[in-house]
């Protein structure tokens, strides 16, 4: 009979783990199927789309179960993405730390996790939007006598911008970005840059609804300024709700509660035994190329100079710049990489490196967590080239080998995750449902490990 997460005995041995995870049945209490998009994008969670973002309800539930009465705690997410975990933590008055190698993720997470004083924001925006409108109309800021003329809009010289943006959108976006760059307050600038980043897709020739960088021949890109203003108003409302939700101590000193670093999860900048819980969703092997998906923002903000070197930093989706010998500790991980390698050498190596890199992050997680603290990993299993890739089991084995004990594994259905559900059988990458051959990640696991017995 299938067992639910609640009925799992304490798990230590690897063989128990693999068998028990394989027999799990989905736990309806963790699917959050009743939640509307309005609820899953509440507060600042709706600032910016992000591939494979998880829903705040899941993080909230883990915090309820594992940090129920903490008055002061530190919550960590090593693969922070758009910062869902951090926003949930800050909302409760906890300190939140996060790392991500993606500059765009760090920008979004900073904007989302920093509540701004609503009246001050409104007052600032009244003047700032007037300035942008004047600049768009060609009037520009008034020039003092003898002063050099204001420079033109900061449009990066990159041929890809002409590939994605028609001239009008490119010019207007340049004007908006110029006005954002002139804002001196860092928090306000981050808030505006997040809005700017979010609208880029709509204002470009990027095919609507596509999670891949596909150029549409028929799309009419949205006008930049009205689109920016509409999203800005949404963000202003969401910020006001977030401001009202966070405790007064966070409002008084938001920066004391959030520490975000654009850094590799394998080398966490935090001291030993400093975090009370880790809640994360790791990258998925061969799924998203975040470097490609965020290229519009990366191009405009000039955050990526060398796309190849940038890609190589990503666990799971990156192609390593240097050859590395495979050294996977999980026996199931080793067997999986070997089976894949026999069918496709490149894929076998990619999956092998993914497991190896994740094992390094488990050791780092063990180091930064306090004794008794939990590490919660959200991950899906899949099948590539006819080989089962049982990430949840491999993660459980890796966590055990890093010194954790395994406390619980939850299987959940994912009704609302923004994740393509099918893979191209040739490349193993996500594809449109039209080319469906099998499902990828229709359910996912939450693997909960504990530092200590
Ligand atoms: C599934 S996403 C996380 C989404 C996040 N839970 C959210 O709600 O937005 C995985 C993240 O891992 C990041 N990542 C990939 N390799 C990394 C590495 N070596 N160190 C830190 N972050 C990395 C990716 O940039 C991506 O943002």
């Amino acid at each position: 009979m299938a067992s639910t997460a609640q009925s799992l005995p304490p798990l230590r041995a690897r063989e128990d783990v693999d068998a028990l995870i394989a027999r799990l049945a989905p736990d309806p209490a963790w699917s959050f199927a009743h939640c509307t998009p309005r609820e899953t994008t509440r507060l600042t969670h709706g600032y910016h789309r992000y591939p494979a973002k998880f829903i705040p309800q899941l993080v909230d539930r883990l915090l309820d179960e594992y940090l129920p009465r903490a008055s002061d705690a530190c919550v960590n997410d090593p693969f922070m993405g758009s910062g869902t975990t951090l926003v949930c933590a800050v909302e409760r008055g906890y300190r939140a730390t996060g790392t991500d190698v993606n500059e765009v993720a760090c920008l979004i997470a900073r904007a989302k996790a920093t509540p701004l004083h609503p009246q001050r924001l409104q007052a600032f925006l009244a003047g700032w939007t007037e300035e942008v409108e004047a600049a768009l109309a060609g009037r520009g800021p008034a020039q003092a006598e003898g002063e050099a003329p204001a420079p033109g809009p900061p449009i990066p010289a990159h041929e890809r911008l002409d590939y994605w943006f028609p001239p009008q959108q490119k010019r207007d976006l340049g004007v908006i970005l110029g006005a954002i760059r002139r804002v001196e307050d860092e928090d306000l600038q981050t808030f505006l840059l997040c809005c700017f980043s979010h609208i880029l897709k709509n204002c470009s020739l990027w095919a609507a609804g596509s999670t891949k960088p596909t150029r549409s021949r028929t799309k009419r890109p949205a006008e930049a300024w009205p689109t920016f203003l509409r999203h800005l108003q949404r963000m202003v409302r969401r910020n006001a709700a977030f401001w009202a939700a966070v405790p007064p101590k966070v409002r008084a000193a938001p920066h004391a509660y959030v520490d975000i670093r654009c850094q590799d999860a394998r080398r966490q900048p935090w001291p030993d035994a400093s975090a009370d819980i880790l809640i994360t969703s790791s990258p998925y092997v061969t799924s998203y190329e975040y470097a490609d998906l965020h290229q519009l923002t990366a191009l405009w903000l000039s955050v990526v100079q060398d796309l190849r070197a940038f890609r190589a930093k990503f666990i799971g989706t990156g192609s390593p710049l240097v050859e590395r010998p495979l050294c996977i500790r999980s026996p199931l991980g080793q067997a999986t990489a070997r089976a894949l390698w026999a069918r496709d050498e490149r894929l076998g190596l990619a999956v092998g490196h993914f497991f190896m890199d994740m094992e390094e992050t488990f050791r780092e997680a063990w180091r930064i967590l306090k004794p008794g603290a939990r590490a919660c990993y959200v991950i899906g299993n899949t099948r590539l080239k006819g080989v089962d890739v049982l990430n949840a089991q491999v993660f459980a084995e890796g966590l055990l080998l890093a010194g954790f004990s395994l406390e619980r594994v939850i299987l959940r259905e994912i009704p609302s995750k923004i994740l393509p559900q099918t893979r191209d059988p040739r490349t193993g990458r996500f594809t449109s449902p039209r080319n469906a051959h099998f499902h990828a990640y229709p359910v996912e696991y939450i693997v909960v490990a504990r530092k200590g017995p």
Side-chain angles (χ1 to χ4, degrees), residues 244-255:
V246 298
K249 62 177 186 177
V250 176
R251 283 183 222 146
H255 291 291

PDB file of all heavy atoms in Angstrom, residues 244-255:
ATOM      1  N   ALA A 244       2.240  46.772   5.164  1.00  0.00           N
ATOM      2  CA  ALA A 244       1.265  46.578   6.252  1.00  0.00           C
ATOM      3  C   ALA A 244       1.445  45.204   6.908  1.00  0.00           C
ATOM      4  O   ALA A 244       1.142  45.030   8.087  1.00  0.00           O
ATOM      5  CB  ALA A 244      -0.153  46.721   5.700  1.00  0.00           C
ATOM      6  N   ALA A 245       1.949  44.238   6.154  1.00  0.00           N
ATOM      7  CA  ALA A 245       2.050  42.860   6.669  1.00  0.00           C
ATOM      8  C   ALA A 245       3.288  42.646   7.540  1.00  0.00           C
ATOM      9  O   ALA A 245       3.263  41.831   8.459  1.00  0.00           O
ATOM     10  CB  ALA A 245       2.070  41.876   5.502  1.00  0.00           C
ATOM     11  N   VAL A 246       4.393  43.345   7.243  1.00  0.00           N
ATOM     12  CA  VAL A 246       5.628  43.067   8.001  1.00  0.00           C
ATOM     13  C   VAL A 246       5.546  43.713   9.389  1.00  0.00           C
ATOM     14  O   VAL A 246       4.893  44.738   9.560  1.00  0.00           O
ATOM     15  CB  VAL A 246       6.916  43.563   7.270  1.00  0.00           C
ATOM     16  CG1 VAL A 246       7.090  42.864   5.945  1.00  0.00           C
ATOM     17  CG2 VAL A 246       6.912  45.080   7.097  1.00  0.00           C
ATOM     18  N   PRO A 247       6.218  43.119  10.396  1.00  0.00           N
ATOM     19  CA  PRO A 247       6.191  43.713  11.738  1.00  0.00           C
ATOM     20  C   PRO A 247       6.894  45.076  11.764  1.00  0.00           C
ATOM     21  O   PRO A 247       7.773  45.330  10.927  1.00  0.00           O
ATOM     22  CB  PRO A 247       6.966  42.708  12.596  1.00  0.00           C
ATOM     23  CG  PRO A 247       7.183  41.509  11.755  1.00  0.00           C
ATOM     24  CD  PRO A 247       6.993  41.882  10.331  1.00  0.00           C
ATOM     25  N   PRO A 248       6.522  45.940  12.722  1.00  0.00           N
ATOM     26  CA  PRO A 248       7.126  47.287  12.803  1.00  0.00           C
ATOM     27  C   PRO A 248       8.653  47.252  12.837  1.00  0.00           C
ATOM     28  O   PRO A 248       9.300  48.115  12.263  1.00  0.00           O
ATOM     29  CB  PRO A 248       6.558  47.852  14.106  1.00  0.00           C
ATOM     30  CG  PRO A 248       5.295  47.094  14.333  1.00  0.00           C
ATOM     31  CD  PRO A 248       5.473  45.744  13.724  1.00  0.00           C
ATOM     32  N   LYS A 249       9.243  46.235  13.480  1.00  0.00           N
ATOM     33  CA  LYS A 249      10.721  46.209  13.563  1.00  0.00           C
ATOM     34  C   LYS A 249      11.343  46.090  12.163  1.00  0.00           C
ATOM     35  O   LYS A 249      12.416  46.625  11.902  1.00  0.00           O
ATOM     36  CB  LYS A 249      11.197  45.066  14.475  1.00  0.00           C
ATOM     37  CG  LYS A 249      10.811  43.674  14.007  1.00  0.00           C
ATOM     38  CD  LYS A 249      11.364  42.584  14.917  1.00  0.00           C
ATOM     39  CE  LYS A 249      11.085  41.211  14.330  1.00  0.00           C
ATOM     40  NZ  LYS A 249      11.639  40.112  15.085  1.00  0.00           N
ATOM     41  N   VAL A 250      10.661  45.401  11.251  1.00  0.00           N
ATOM     42  CA  VAL A 250      11.185  45.277   9.877  1.00  0.00           C
ATOM     43  C   VAL A 250      11.017  46.607   9.143  1.00  0.00           C
ATOM     44  O   VAL A 250      11.926  47.054   8.437  1.00  0.00           O
ATOM     45  CB  VAL A 250      10.474  44.141   9.106  1.00  0.00           C
ATOM     46  CG1 VAL A 250      10.941  44.082   7.664  1.00  0.00           C
ATOM     47  CG2 VAL A 250      10.696  42.797   9.793  1.00  0.00           C
ATOM     48  N   ARG A 251       9.867  47.257   9.362  1.00  0.00           N
ATOM     49  CA  ARG A 251       9.664  48.560   8.712  1.00  0.00           C
ATOM     50  C   ARG A 251      10.731  49.552   9.135  1.00  0.00           C
ATOM     51  O   ARG A 251      11.190  50.365   8.349  1.00  0.00           O
ATOM     52  CB  ARG A 251       8.300  49.131   9.116  1.00  0.00           C
ATOM     53  CG  ARG A 251       7.170  48.468   8.395  1.00  0.00           C
ATOM     54  CD  ARG A 251       5.872  49.141   8.783  1.00  0.00           C
ATOM     55  NE  ARG A 251       4.873  48.122   8.982  1.00  0.00           N
ATOM     56  CZ  ARG A 251       3.892  48.169   9.870  1.00  0.00           C
ATOM     57  NH1 ARG A 251       3.754  49.200  10.677  1.00  0.00           N
ATOM     58  NH2 ARG A 251       3.037  47.195   9.959  1.00  0.00           N
ATOM     59  N   ALA A 252      11.122  49.467  10.410  1.00  0.00           N
ATOM     60  CA  ALA A 252      12.094  50.432  10.938  1.00  0.00           C
ATOM     61  C   ALA A 252      13.488  50.220  10.342  1.00  0.00           C
ATOM     62  O   ALA A 252      14.235  51.179  10.171  1.00  0.00           O
ATOM     63  CB  ALA A 252      12.147  50.324  12.453  1.00  0.00           C
ATOM     64  N   ALA A 253      13.834  48.980  10.011  1.00  0.00           N
ATOM     65  CA  ALA A 253      15.203  48.718   9.508  1.00  0.00           C
ATOM     66  C   ALA A 253      15.179  47.526   8.555  1.00  0.00           C
ATOM     67  O   ALA A 253      15.719  46.462   8.873  1.00  0.00           O
ATOM     68  CB  ALA A 253      16.131  48.442  10.683  1.00  0.00           C
ATOM     69  N   PRO A 254      14.559  47.682   7.368  1.00  0.00           N
ATOM     70  CA  PRO A 254      14.415  46.523   6.464  1.00  0.00           C
ATOM     71  C   PRO A 254      15.738  45.837   6.130  1.00  0.00           C
ATOM     72  O   PRO A 254      15.792  44.616   6.030  1.00  0.00           O
ATOM     73  CB  PRO A 254      13.766  47.107   5.209  1.00  0.00           C
ATOM     74  CG  PRO A 254      13.491  48.541   5.471  1.00  0.00           C
ATOM     75  CD  PRO A 254      13.995  48.913   6.819  1.00  0.00           C
ATOM     76  N   HIS A 255      16.797  46.626   6.028  1.00  0.00           N
ATOM     77  CA  HIS A 255      18.065  46.019   5.600  1.00  0.00           C
ATOM     78  C   HIS A 255      18.683  45.119   6.668  1.00  0.00           C
ATOM     79  O   HIS A 255      19.527  44.281   6.354  1.00  0.00           O
ATOM     80  CB  HIS A 255      19.059  47.092   5.168  1.00  0.00           C
ATOM     81  CG  HIS A 255      18.618  47.755   3.901  1.00  0.00           C
ATOM     82  ND1 HIS A 255      18.609  47.102   2.705  1.00  0.00           N
ATOM     83  CD2 HIS A 255      18.122  48.983   3.668  1.00  0.00           C
ATOM     84  CE1 HIS A 255      18.137  47.911   1.772  1.00  0.00           C
ATOM     85  NE2 HIS A 255      17.822  49.061   2.331  1.00  0.00           N
TER      86      HIS A 255
END
